[in-house]
mmCIF file of all heavy atoms in Angstrom:
data_model
loop_
_atom_site.group_PDB
_atom_site.id
_atom_site.type_symbol
_atom_site.label_atom_id
_atom_site.label_comp_id
_atom_site.label_asym_id
_atom_site.label_seq_id
_atom_site.Cartn_x
_atom_site.Cartn_y
_atom_site.Cartn_z
ATOM 1 N N HIS L 1 9.691 9.468 -17.100
ATOM 2 C CA HIS L 1 8.286 9.620 -16.723
ATOM 3 C C HIS L 1 7.478 10.212 -17.865
ATOM 4 O O HIS L 1 6.336 10.620 -17.672
ATOM 5 C CB HIS L 1 8.170 10.503 -15.473
ATOM 6 C CG HIS L 1 8.881 9.948 -14.273
ATOM 7 N ND1 HIS L 1 8.640 8.684 -13.802
ATOM 8 C CD2 HIS L 1 9.844 10.474 -13.466
ATOM 9 C CE1 HIS L 1 9.405 8.465 -12.739
ATOM 10 N NE2 HIS L 1 10.145 9.532 -12.525
ATOM 11 N N ASP L 2 8.081 10.247 -19.054
ATOM 12 C CA ASP L 2 7.408 10.747 -20.257
ATOM 13 C C ASP L 2 6.822 9.543 -20.987
ATOM 14 O O ASP L 2 7.513 8.840 -21.713
ATOM 15 C CB ASP L 2 8.418 11.484 -21.142
ATOM 16 C CG ASP L 2 7.765 12.129 -22.365
ATOM 17 O OD1 ASP L 2 6.662 11.690 -22.749
ATOM 18 O OD2 ASP L 2 8.363 13.055 -22.932
ATOM 19 N N LYS L 3 5.517 9.283 -20.787
ATOM 20 C CA LYS L 3 4.933 8.063 -21.339
ATOM 21 C C LYS L 3 4.877 8.080 -22.862
ATOM 22 O O LYS L 3 4.970 7.017 -23.490
ATOM 23 C CB LYS L 3 3.554 7.797 -20.737
ATOM 24 C CG LYS L 3 2.457 8.754 -21.122
ATOM 25 C CD LYS L 3 1.156 8.318 -20.446
ATOM 26 C CE LYS L 3 -0.019 9.193 -20.879
ATOM 27 N NZ LYS L 3 -1.280 8.796 -20.217
ATOM 28 N N MET L 4 4.727 9.277 -23.476
ATOM 29 C CA MET L 4 4.773 9.345 -24.933
ATOM 30 C C MET L 4 6.142 8.902 -25.449
ATOM 31 O O MET L 4 6.256 8.147 -26.409
ATOM 32 C CB MET L 4 4.481 10.774 -25.406
ATOM 33 C CG MET L 4 3.021 11.128 -25.504
ATOM 34 S SD MET L 4 2.816 12.703 -26.343
ATOM 35 C CE MET L 4 1.027 12.775 -26.411
ATOM 36 N N PHE L 5 7.193 9.402 -24.808
ATOM 37 C CA PHE L 5 8.556 9.045 -25.177
ATOM 38 C C PHE L 5 8.765 7.536 -25.034
ATOM 39 O O PHE L 5 9.324 6.884 -25.926
ATOM 40 C CB PHE L 5 9.532 9.813 -24.287
ATOM 41 C CG PHE L 5 10.984 9.502 -24.539
ATOM 42 C CD1 PHE L 5 11.617 9.937 -25.687
ATOM 43 C CD2 PHE L 5 11.706 8.776 -23.616
ATOM 44 C CE1 PHE L 5 12.956 9.656 -25.911
ATOM 45 C CE2 PHE L 5 13.040 8.488 -23.818
ATOM 46 C CZ PHE L 5 13.676 8.936 -24.971
ATOM 47 N N LEU L 6 8.301 6.974 -23.929
ATOM 48 C CA LEU L 6 8.445 5.528 -23.708
ATOM 49 C C LEU L 6 7.678 4.729 -24.752
ATOM 50 O O LEU L 6 8.165 3.715 -25.263
ATOM 51 C CB LEU L 6 7.961 5.166 -22.299
ATOM 52 C CG LEU L 6 8.824 5.653 -21.135
ATOM 53 C CD1 LEU L 6 8.147 5.349 -19.803
ATOM 54 C CD2 LEU L 6 10.206 5.013 -21.168
ATOM 55 N N ASP L 7 6.468 5.167 -25.075
ATOM 56 C CA ASP L 7 5.663 4.450 -26.073
ATOM 57 C C ASP L 7 6.306 4.500 -27.452
ATOM 58 O O ASP L 7 6.218 3.546 -28.225
ATOM 59 C CB ASP L 7 4.251 5.033 -26.141
ATOM 60 C CG ASP L 7 3.349 4.492 -25.044
ATOM 61 O OD1 ASP L 7 3.663 3.415 -24.502
ATOM 62 O OD2 ASP L 7 2.342 5.139 -24.719
ATOM 63 N N HIS L 8 6.960 5.616 -27.773
ATOM 64 C CA HIS L 8 7.573 5.775 -29.089
ATOM 65 C C HIS L 8 8.878 5.004 -29.219
ATOM 66 O O HIS L 8 9.310 4.699 -30.329
ATOM 67 C CB HIS L 8 7.834 7.246 -29.377
ATOM 68 C CG HIS L 8 6.586 8.030 -29.606
ATOM 69 N ND1 HIS L 8 6.575 9.409 -29.674
ATOM 70 C CD2 HIS L 8 5.301 7.650 -29.780
ATOM 71 C CE1 HIS L 8 5.339 9.823 -29.884
ATOM 72 N NE2 HIS L 8 4.548 8.777 -29.939
ATOM 73 N N VAL L 9 9.529 4.692 -28.078
ATOM 74 C CA VAL L 9 10.877 4.122 -28.132
ATOM 75 C C VAL L 9 10.944 2.668 -27.672
ATOM 76 O O VAL L 9 11.574 1.832 -28.320
ATOM 77 C CB VAL L 9 11.856 4.982 -27.289
ATOM 78 C CG1 VAL L 9 13.220 4.319 -27.212
ATOM 79 C CG2 VAL L 9 11.989 6.379 -27.889
ATOM 80 N N THR L 10 10.301 2.340 -26.556
ATOM 81 C CA THR L 10 10.568 1.054 -25.906
ATOM 82 C C THR L 10 9.770 -0.100 -26.500
ATOM 83 O O THR L 10 8.705 0.084 -27.065
ATOM 84 C CB THR L 10 10.268 1.132 -24.398
ATOM 85 O OG1 THR L 10 8.876 1.427 -24.202
ATOM 86 C CG2 THR L 10 11.100 2.215 -23.738
ATOM 87 N N ASN L 11 10.318 -1.304 -26.349
ATOM 88 C CA ASN L 11 9.615 -2.535 -26.718
ATOM 89 C C ASN L 11 9.519 -3.496 -25.530
ATOM 90 O O ASN L 11 9.084 -4.636 -25.675
ATOM 91 C CB ASN L 11 10.288 -3.226 -27.906
ATOM 92 C CG ASN L 11 11.782 -3.445 -27.694
ATOM 93 O OD1 ASN L 11 12.256 -3.527 -26.562
ATOM 94 N ND2 ASN L 11 12.530 -3.523 -28.794
ATOM 95 N N ARG L 12 9.944 -3.023 -24.356
ATOM 96 C CA ARG L 12 9.885 -3.835 -23.138
ATOM 97 C C ARG L 12 9.810 -2.894 -21.953
ATOM 98 O O ARG L 12 10.362 -1.794 -21.996
ATOM 99 C CB ARG L 12 11.133 -4.724 -23.053
ATOM 100 C CG ARG L 12 11.258 -5.573 -21.788
ATOM 101 C CD ARG L 12 12.539 -6.381 -21.835
ATOM 102 N NE ARG L 12 12.901 -6.954 -20.556
ATOM 103 C CZ ARG L 12 14.107 -7.456 -20.264
ATOM 104 N NH1 ARG L 12 15.066 -7.451 -21.182
ATOM 105 N NH2 ARG L 12 14.354 -7.946 -19.073
ATOM 106 N N THR L 13 9.121 -3.322 -20.902
ATOM 107 C CA THR L 13 8.975 -2.478 -19.711
ATOM 108 C C THR L 13 9.265 -3.293 -18.458
ATOM 109 O O THR L 13 8.786 -4.413 -18.306
ATOM 110 C CB THR L 13 7.547 -1.897 -19.616
ATOM 111 O OG1 THR L 13 7.259 -1.158 -20.807
ATOM 112 C CG2 THR L 13 7.416 -0.963 -18.425
ATOM 113 N N ILE L 14 10.071 -2.702 -17.577
ATOM 114 C CA ILE L 14 10.332 -3.282 -16.257
ATOM 115 C C ILE L 14 9.883 -2.255 -15.217
ATOM 116 O O ILE L 14 10.338 -1.119 -15.228
ATOM 117 C CB ILE L 14 11.824 -3.601 -16.047
ATOM 118 C CG1 ILE L 14 12.303 -4.657 -17.054
ATOM 119 C CG2 ILE L 14 12.071 -4.088 -14.622
ATOM 120 C CD1 ILE L 14 13.790 -4.971 -16.958
ATOM 121 N N GLU L 15 8.965 -2.662 -14.354
ATOM 122 C CA GLU L 15 8.486 -1.770 -13.300
ATOM 123 C C GLU L 15 9.043 -2.214 -11.954
ATOM 124 O O GLU L 15 8.990 -3.397 -11.611
ATOM 125 C CB GLU L 15 6.959 -1.759 -13.241
ATOM 126 C CG GLU L 15 6.424 -0.840 -12.155
ATOM 127 C CD GLU L 15 4.902 -0.808 -12.081
ATOM 128 O OE1 GLU L 15 4.247 -1.664 -12.706
ATOM 129 O OE2 GLU L 15 4.370 0.074 -11.395
ATOM 130 N N ILE L 16 9.577 -1.259 -11.191
ATOM 131 C CA ILE L 16 9.988 -1.526 -9.809
ATOM 132 C C ILE L 16 8.880 -1.028 -8.899
ATOM 133 O O ILE L 16 8.507 0.146 -8.944
ATOM 134 C CB ILE L 16 11.305 -0.811 -9.452
ATOM 135 C CG1 ILE L 16 12.429 -1.201 -10.404
ATOM 136 C CG2 ILE L 16 11.702 -1.123 -8.018
ATOM 137 C CD1 ILE L 16 13.754 -0.532 -10.096
ATOM 138 N N SER L 17 8.330 -1.921 -8.089
ATOM 139 C CA SER L 17 7.255 -1.546 -7.177
ATOM 140 C C SER L 17 7.394 -2.325 -5.880
ATOM 141 O O SER L 17 7.394 -3.564 -5.886
ATOM 142 C CB SER L 17 5.891 -1.837 -7.820
ATOM 143 O OG SER L 17 4.834 -1.511 -6.936
ATOM 144 N N LEU L 18 7.559 -1.586 -4.789
ATOM 145 C CA LEU L 18 7.655 -2.189 -3.450
ATOM 146 C C LEU L 18 8.702 -3.287 -3.387
ATOM 147 O O LEU L 18 8.496 -4.349 -2.804
ATOM 148 C CB LEU L 18 6.280 -2.734 -3.037
ATOM 149 C CG LEU L 18 5.148 -1.705 -3.025
ATOM 150 C CD1 LEU L 18 3.813 -2.381 -2.773
ATOM 151 C CD2 LEU L 18 5.412 -0.636 -1.977
ATOM 152 N N GLY L 19 9.866 -3.031 -4.002
ATOM 153 C CA GLY L 19 10.998 -3.950 -3.921
ATOM 154 C C GLY L 19 10.989 -5.083 -4.919
ATOM 155 O O GLY L 19 11.958 -5.833 -5.012
ATOM 156 N N LYS L 20 9.899 -5.231 -5.692
ATOM 157 C CA LYS L 20 9.816 -6.296 -6.701
ATOM 158 C C LYS L 20 9.868 -5.680 -8.090
ATOM 159 O O LYS L 20 9.721 -4.468 -8.258
ATOM 160 C CB LYS L 20 8.512 -7.081 -6.544
ATOM 161 C CG LYS L 20 8.365 -7.807 -5.217
ATOM 162 C CD LYS L 20 7.032 -8.554 -5.177
ATOM 163 C CE LYS L 20 6.839 -9.285 -3.856
ATOM 164 N NZ LYS L 20 5.529 -10.008 -3.814
ATOM 165 N N ILE L 21 10.074 -6.540 -9.111
ATOM 166 C CA ILE L 21 10.013 -6.048 -10.482
ATOM 167 C C ILE L 21 8.975 -6.850 -11.271
ATOM 168 O O ILE L 21 8.721 -8.016 -10.993
ATOM 169 C CB ILE L 21 11.376 -6.111 -11.205
ATOM 170 C CG1 ILE L 21 11.856 -7.565 -11.386
ATOM 171 C CG2 ILE L 21 12.408 -5.275 -10.499
ATOM 172 C CD1 ILE L 21 13.017 -7.682 -12.356
ATOM 173 N N TYR L 22 8.385 -6.179 -12.256
ATOM 174 C CA TYR L 22 7.409 -6.798 -13.152
ATOM 175 C C TYR L 22 7.894 -6.509 -14.569
ATOM 176 O O TYR L 22 8.049 -5.353 -14.960
ATOM 177 C CB TYR L 22 6.018 -6.215 -12.901
ATOM 178 C CG TYR L 22 5.579 -6.414 -11.472
ATOM 179 C CD1 TYR L 22 5.876 -5.448 -10.503
ATOM 180 C CD2 TYR L 22 4.923 -7.575 -11.072
ATOM 181 C CE1 TYR L 22 5.504 -5.636 -9.181
ATOM 182 C CE2 TYR L 22 4.549 -7.764 -9.753
ATOM 183 C CZ TYR L 22 4.846 -6.795 -8.810
ATOM 184 O OH TYR L 22 4.486 -6.992 -7.497
ATOM 185 N N ASP L 23 8.175 -7.572 -15.302
ATOM 186 C CA ASP L 23 8.917 -7.475 -16.561
ATOM 187 C C ASP L 23 8.112 -8.098 -17.703
ATOM 188 O O ASP L 23 7.813 -9.299 -17.682
ATOM 189 C CB ASP L 23 10.261 -8.205 -16.380
ATOM 190 C CG ASP L 23 11.183 -8.066 -17.579
ATOM 191 O OD1 ASP L 23 10.778 -7.470 -18.587
ATOM 192 O OD2 ASP L 23 12.316 -8.567 -17.494
ATOM 193 N N PHE L 24 7.740 -7.276 -18.709
ATOM 194 C CA PHE L 24 6.992 -7.791 -19.866
ATOM 195 C C PHE L 24 7.510 -7.140 -21.146
ATOM 196 O O PHE L 24 7.916 -5.973 -21.153
ATOM 197 C CB PHE L 24 5.491 -7.496 -19.721
ATOM 198 C CG PHE L 24 4.852 -8.182 -18.552
ATOM 199 C CD1 PHE L 24 4.576 -7.479 -17.390
ATOM 200 C CD2 PHE L 24 4.543 -9.530 -18.603
ATOM 201 C CE1 PHE L 24 3.994 -8.109 -16.299
ATOM 202 C CE2 PHE L 24 3.965 -10.165 -17.514
ATOM 203 C CZ PHE L 24 3.692 -9.459 -16.365
ATOM 204 N N ASN L 25 7.467 -7.889 -22.243
ATOM 205 C CA ASN L 25 7.920 -7.401 -23.545
ATOM 206 C C ASN L 25 6.837 -6.543 -24.204
ATOM 207 O O ASN L 25 6.273 -6.902 -25.239
ATOM 208 C CB ASN L 25 8.301 -8.568 -24.458
ATOM 209 C CG ASN L 25 9.568 -9.252 -23.981
ATOM 210 O OD1 ASN L 25 10.503 -8.601 -23.530
ATOM 211 N ND2 ASN L 25 9.603 -10.568 -24.077
ATOM 212 N N LYS L 26 6.564 -5.405 -23.580
ATOM 213 C CA LYS L 26 5.547 -4.485 -24.101
ATOM 214 C C LYS L 26 5.974 -3.061 -23.813
ATOM 215 O O LYS L 26 6.586 -2.791 -22.771
ATOM 216 C CB LYS L 26 4.182 -4.745 -23.437
ATOM 217 C CG LYS L 26 3.590 -6.128 -23.723
ATOM 218 C CD LYS L 26 2.270 -6.314 -23.001
ATOM 219 C CE LYS L 26 1.718 -7.725 -23.213
ATOM 220 N NZ LYS L 26 1.371 -7.966 -24.617
ATOM 221 N N PRO L 27 5.652 -2.103 -24.720
ATOM 222 C CA PRO L 27 5.889 -0.699 -24.403
ATOM 223 C C PRO L 27 4.991 -0.248 -23.267
ATOM 224 O O PRO L 27 4.053 -0.956 -22.880
ATOM 225 C CB PRO L 27 5.557 0.032 -25.713
ATOM 226 C CG PRO L 27 4.647 -0.890 -26.454
ATOM 227 C CD PRO L 27 5.059 -2.276 -26.062
ATOM 228 N N PHE L 28 5.227 0.943 -22.756
ATOM 229 C CA PHE L 28 4.626 1.387 -21.496
ATOM 230 C C PHE L 28 3.104 1.230 -21.442
ATOM 231 O O PHE L 28 2.568 0.592 -20.537
ATOM 232 C CB PHE L 28 5.010 2.842 -21.214
ATOM 233 C CG PHE L 28 4.292 3.427 -20.042
ATOM 234 C CD1 PHE L 28 4.680 3.111 -18.757
ATOM 235 C CD2 PHE L 28 3.200 4.263 -20.216
ATOM 236 C CE1 PHE L 28 4.003 3.637 -17.664
ATOM 237 C CE2 PHE L 28 2.525 4.793 -19.134
ATOM 238 C CZ PHE L 28 2.936 4.479 -17.854
ATOM 239 N N SER L 29 2.378 1.833 -22.400
ATOM 240 C CA SER L 29 0.907 1.848 -22.331
ATOM 241 C C SER L 29 0.340 0.435 -22.374
ATOM 242 O O SER L 29 -0.575 0.090 -21.615
ATOM 243 C CB SER L 29 0.326 2.687 -23.475
ATOM 244 O OG SER L 29 0.631 4.048 -23.278
ATOM 245 N N LYS L 30 0.869 -0.419 -23.254
ATOM 246 C CA LYS L 30 0.404 -1.805 -23.338
ATOM 247 C C LYS L 30 0.780 -2.583 -22.084
ATOM 248 O O LYS L 30 0.033 -3.457 -21.628
ATOM 249 C CB LYS L 30 0.977 -2.476 -24.584
ATOM 250 C CG LYS L 30 0.426 -1.916 -25.890
ATOM 251 C CD LYS L 30 0.995 -2.656 -27.085
ATOM 252 C CE LYS L 30 0.411 -2.099 -28.380
ATOM 253 N NZ LYS L 30 0.985 -2.774 -29.577
ATOM 254 N N PHE L 31 1.941 -2.247 -21.507
ATOM 255 C CA PHE L 31 2.369 -2.886 -20.259
ATOM 256 C C PHE L 31 1.390 -2.582 -19.133
ATOM 257 O O PHE L 31 0.995 -3.475 -18.375
ATOM 258 C CB PHE L 31 3.774 -2.381 -19.898
ATOM 259 C CG PHE L 31 4.213 -2.718 -18.494
ATOM 260 C CD1 PHE L 31 4.821 -3.932 -18.214
ATOM 261 C CD2 PHE L 31 4.027 -1.818 -17.444
ATOM 262 C CE1 PHE L 31 5.228 -4.238 -16.922
ATOM 263 C CE2 PHE L 31 4.428 -2.116 -16.156
ATOM 264 C CZ PHE L 31 5.033 -3.337 -15.899
ATOM 265 N N LYS L 32 0.966 -1.316 -19.007
ATOM 266 C CA LYS L 32 0.050 -0.939 -17.938
ATOM 267 C C LYS L 32 -1.294 -1.639 -18.082
ATOM 268 O O LYS L 32 -1.887 -2.078 -17.096
ATOM 269 C CB LYS L 32 -0.154 0.583 -17.936
ATOM 270 C CG LYS L 32 1.102 1.382 -17.639
ATOM 271 C CD LYS L 32 1.703 1.071 -16.290
ATOM 272 C CE LYS L 32 0.946 1.678 -15.148
ATOM 273 N NZ LYS L 32 1.616 1.453 -13.840
ATOM 274 N N ILE L 33 -1.761 -1.761 -19.318
ATOM 275 C CA ILE L 33 -3.021 -2.485 -19.562
ATOM 276 C C ILE L 33 -2.864 -3.947 -19.174
ATOM 277 O O ILE L 33 -3.730 -4.539 -18.516
ATOM 278 C CB ILE L 33 -3.436 -2.353 -21.048
ATOM 279 C CG1 ILE L 33 -3.801 -0.896 -21.362
ATOM 280 C CG2 ILE L 33 -4.603 -3.276 -21.360
ATOM 281 C CD1 ILE L 33 -4.006 -0.624 -22.831
ATOM 282 N N HIS L 34 -1.739 -4.551 -19.589
ATOM 283 C CA HIS L 34 -1.480 -5.965 -19.299
ATOM 284 C C HIS L 34 -1.369 -6.207 -17.801
ATOM 285 O O HIS L 34 -1.888 -7.207 -17.290
ATOM 286 C CB HIS L 34 -0.189 -6.392 -20.007
ATOM 287 C CG HIS L 34 0.113 -7.852 -19.896
ATOM 288 N ND1 HIS L 34 -0.716 -8.824 -20.420
ATOM 289 C CD2 HIS L 34 1.155 -8.510 -19.320
ATOM 290 C CE1 HIS L 34 -0.202 -10.021 -20.164
ATOM 291 N NE2 HIS L 34 0.928 -9.852 -19.499
ATOM 292 N N ARG L 35 -0.697 -5.283 -17.099
ATOM 293 C CA ARG L 35 -0.538 -5.425 -15.645
ATOM 294 C C ARG L 35 -1.897 -5.393 -14.960
ATOM 295 O O ARG L 35 -2.164 -6.166 -14.035
ATOM 296 C CB ARG L 35 0.334 -4.291 -15.112
ATOM 297 C CG ARG L 35 1.807 -4.509 -15.287
ATOM 298 C CD ARG L 35 2.447 -5.207 -14.104
ATOM 299 N NE ARG L 35 2.739 -4.286 -13.035
ATOM 300 C CZ ARG L 35 2.413 -4.469 -11.764
ATOM 301 N NH1 ARG L 35 1.730 -5.527 -11.414
ATOM 302 N NH2 ARG L 35 2.750 -3.599 -10.847
ATOM 303 N N GLU L 36 -2.787 -4.529 -15.398
ATOM 304 C CA GLU L 36 -4.105 -4.432 -14.810
ATOM 305 C C GLU L 36 -4.931 -5.681 -15.102
ATOM 306 O O GLU L 36 -5.665 -6.178 -14.233
ATOM 307 C CB GLU L 36 -4.820 -3.185 -15.338
ATOM 308 C CG GLU L 36 -6.126 -2.859 -14.621
ATOM 309 C CD GLU L 36 -5.976 -2.677 -13.127
ATOM 310 O OE1 GLU L 36 -4.923 -2.133 -12.696
ATOM 311 O OE2 GLU L 36 -6.887 -3.083 -12.385
ATOM 312 N N GLU L 37 -4.807 -6.198 -16.330
ATOM 313 C CA GLU L 37 -5.521 -7.431 -16.691
ATOM 314 C C GLU L 37 -5.047 -8.602 -15.826
ATOM 315 O O GLU L 37 -5.859 -9.418 -15.364
ATOM 316 C CB GLU L 37 -5.304 -7.750 -18.174
ATOM 317 C CG GLU L 37 -6.049 -6.799 -19.117
ATOM 318 C CD GLU L 37 -5.707 -7.050 -20.569
ATOM 319 O OE1 GLU L 37 -4.720 -7.786 -20.819
ATOM 320 O OE2 GLU L 37 -6.395 -6.495 -21.447
ATOM 321 N N LEU L 38 -3.737 -8.688 -15.615
ATOM 322 C CA LEU L 38 -3.187 -9.767 -14.782
ATOM 323 C C LEU L 38 -3.701 -9.662 -13.347
ATOM 324 O O LEU L 38 -4.039 -10.669 -12.727
ATOM 325 C CB LEU L 38 -1.655 -9.714 -14.781
ATOM 326 C CG LEU L 38 -0.932 -10.222 -16.033
ATOM 327 C CD1 LEU L 38 0.579 -10.055 -15.866
ATOM 328 C CD2 LEU L 38 -1.253 -11.700 -16.277
ATOM 329 N N ARG L 39 -3.766 -8.445 -12.839
ATOM 330 C CA ARG L 39 -4.249 -8.242 -11.476
ATOM 331 C C ARG L 39 -5.712 -8.666 -11.355
ATOM 332 O O ARG L 39 -6.106 -9.310 -10.371
ATOM 333 C CB ARG L 39 -4.076 -6.780 -11.071
ATOM 334 C CG ARG L 39 -4.582 -6.479 -9.679
ATOM 335 C CD ARG L 39 -4.246 -5.078 -9.240
ATOM 336 N NE ARG L 39 -4.951 -4.747 -8.006
ATOM 337 C CZ ARG L 39 -4.580 -5.163 -6.792
ATOM 338 N NH1 ARG L 39 -3.506 -5.914 -6.666
ATOM 339 N NH2 ARG L 39 -5.272 -4.834 -5.723
ATOM 340 N N GLU L 40 -6.530 -8.325 -12.359
ATOM 341 C CA GLU L 40 -7.942 -8.723 -12.349
ATOM 342 C C GLU L 40 -8.073 -10.243 -12.394
ATOM 343 O O GLU L 40 -8.943 -10.822 -11.733
ATOM 344 C CB GLU L 40 -8.654 -8.082 -13.541
ATOM 345 C CG GLU L 40 -8.844 -6.571 -13.386
ATOM 346 C CD GLU L 40 -9.454 -5.935 -14.614
ATOM 347 O OE1 GLU L 40 -9.720 -6.675 -15.589
ATOM 348 O OE2 GLU L 40 -9.654 -4.704 -14.617
ATOM 349 N N GLN L 41 -7.217 -10.884 -13.196
ATOM 350 C CA GLN L 41 -7.229 -12.347 -13.263
ATOM 351 C C GLN L 41 -6.836 -12.948 -11.917
ATOM 352 O O GLN L 41 -7.424 -13.947 -11.469
ATOM 353 C CB GLN L 41 -6.282 -12.827 -14.359
ATOM 354 C CG GLN L 41 -6.750 -12.501 -15.773
ATOM 355 C CD GLN L 41 -5.701 -12.815 -16.820
ATOM 356 O OE1 GLN L 41 -4.670 -13.411 -16.522
ATOM 357 N NE2 GLN L 41 -5.946 -12.383 -18.046
ATOM 358 N N GLN L 42 -5.815 -12.339 -11.268
ATOM 359 C CA GLN L 42 -5.391 -12.818 -9.958
ATOM 360 C C GLN L 42 -6.522 -12.694 -8.933
ATOM 361 O O GLN L 42 -6.745 -13.613 -8.133
ATOM 362 C CB GLN L 42 -4.171 -12.019 -9.474
ATOM 363 C CG GLN L 42 -2.877 -12.370 -10.177
ATOM 364 C CD GLN L 42 -1.726 -11.505 -9.667
ATOM 365 O OE1 GLN L 42 -1.916 -10.355 -9.294
ATOM 366 N NE2 GLN L 42 -0.534 -12.080 -9.646
ATOM 367 N N LEU L 43 -7.215 -11.560 -8.953
ATOM 368 C CA LEU L 43 -8.316 -11.343 -8.014
ATOM 369 C C LEU L 43 -9.430 -12.356 -8.231
ATOM 370 O O LEU L 43 -9.997 -12.896 -7.266
ATOM 371 C CB LEU L 43 -8.869 -9.917 -8.179
ATOM 372 C CG LEU L 43 -8.002 -8.790 -7.618
ATOM 373 C CD1 LEU L 43 -8.514 -7.427 -8.097
ATOM 374 C CD2 LEU L 43 -7.987 -8.832 -6.092
ATOM 375 N N ALA L 44 -9.750 -12.625 -9.527
ATOM 376 C CA ALA L 44 -10.801 -13.605 -9.836
ATOM 377 C C ALA L 44 -10.396 -14.998 -9.380
ATOM 378 O O ALA L 44 -11.202 -15.746 -8.794
ATOM 379 C CB ALA L 44 -11.091 -13.593 -11.336
ATOM 380 N N ALA L 45 -9.119 -15.372 -9.654
ATOM 381 C CA ALA L 45 -8.630 -16.691 -9.256
ATOM 382 C C ALA L 45 -8.590 -16.823 -7.741
ATOM 383 O O ALA L 45 -8.929 -17.872 -7.174
ATOM 384 C CB ALA L 45 -7.231 -16.926 -9.843
ATOM 385 N N GLN L 46 -8.194 -15.738 -7.059
ATOM 386 C CA GLN L 46 -8.144 -15.753 -5.597
ATOM 387 C C GLN L 46 -9.545 -15.927 -5.008
ATOM 388 O O GLN L 46 -9.744 -16.678 -4.045
ATOM 389 C CB GLN L 46 -7.513 -14.458 -5.098
ATOM 390 C CG GLN L 46 -7.291 -14.428 -3.582
ATOM 391 C CD GLN L 46 -6.831 -13.065 -3.106
ATOM 392 O OE1 GLN L 46 -7.479 -12.057 -3.375
ATOM 393 N NE2 GLN L 46 -5.703 -13.026 -2.405
ATOM 394 N N LYS L 47 -10.533 -15.239 -5.618
ATOM 395 C CA LYS L 47 -11.909 -15.344 -5.131
ATOM 396 C C LYS L 47 -12.445 -16.764 -5.306
ATOM 397 O O LYS L 47 -13.081 -17.320 -4.395
ATOM 398 C CB LYS L 47 -12.786 -14.350 -5.891
ATOM 399 C CG LYS L 47 -14.216 -14.294 -5.380
ATOM 400 C CD LYS L 47 -15.024 -13.229 -6.114
ATOM 401 C CE LYS L 47 -16.447 -13.183 -5.588
ATOM 402 N NZ LYS L 47 -17.251 -12.149 -6.295
#
């Protein structure tokens, strides 16, 4: 849960949320930005 540590070390992030996983080749901070962008795109496409 140390995001600085994750940003300094990782090159890929897998998130477990509500029984599913979301997997992208990005360190933590970039992954969170990408996940939010994808959600906004999904909302726009759904609308």
Side-chain angles (χ1 to χ4, degrees):
H1 300 306
D2 184 339
K3 69 179 184 181
M4 277 190 176
F5 178 72
L6 291 174
D7 278 339
H8 290 170
V9 174
T10 62
N11 52 25
R12 176 181 166 195
T13 303
I14 297 177
E15 180 180 12
I16 303 180
S17 179
L18 303 173
K20 298 180 181 180
I21 65 167
Y22 302 90
D23 185 356
F24 296 102
N25 290 321
K26 296 178 184 295
F28 172 77
S29 291
K30 292 182 179 178
F31 167 86
K32 296 300 285 185
I33 293 171
H34 186 63
R35 279 269 278 131
E36 189 57 36
E37 288 174 347
L38 284 178
R39 179 173 170 78
E40 289 176 359
Q41 291 172 8
Q42 286 178 328
L43 286 168
Q46 185 187 54
K47 185 177 180 180

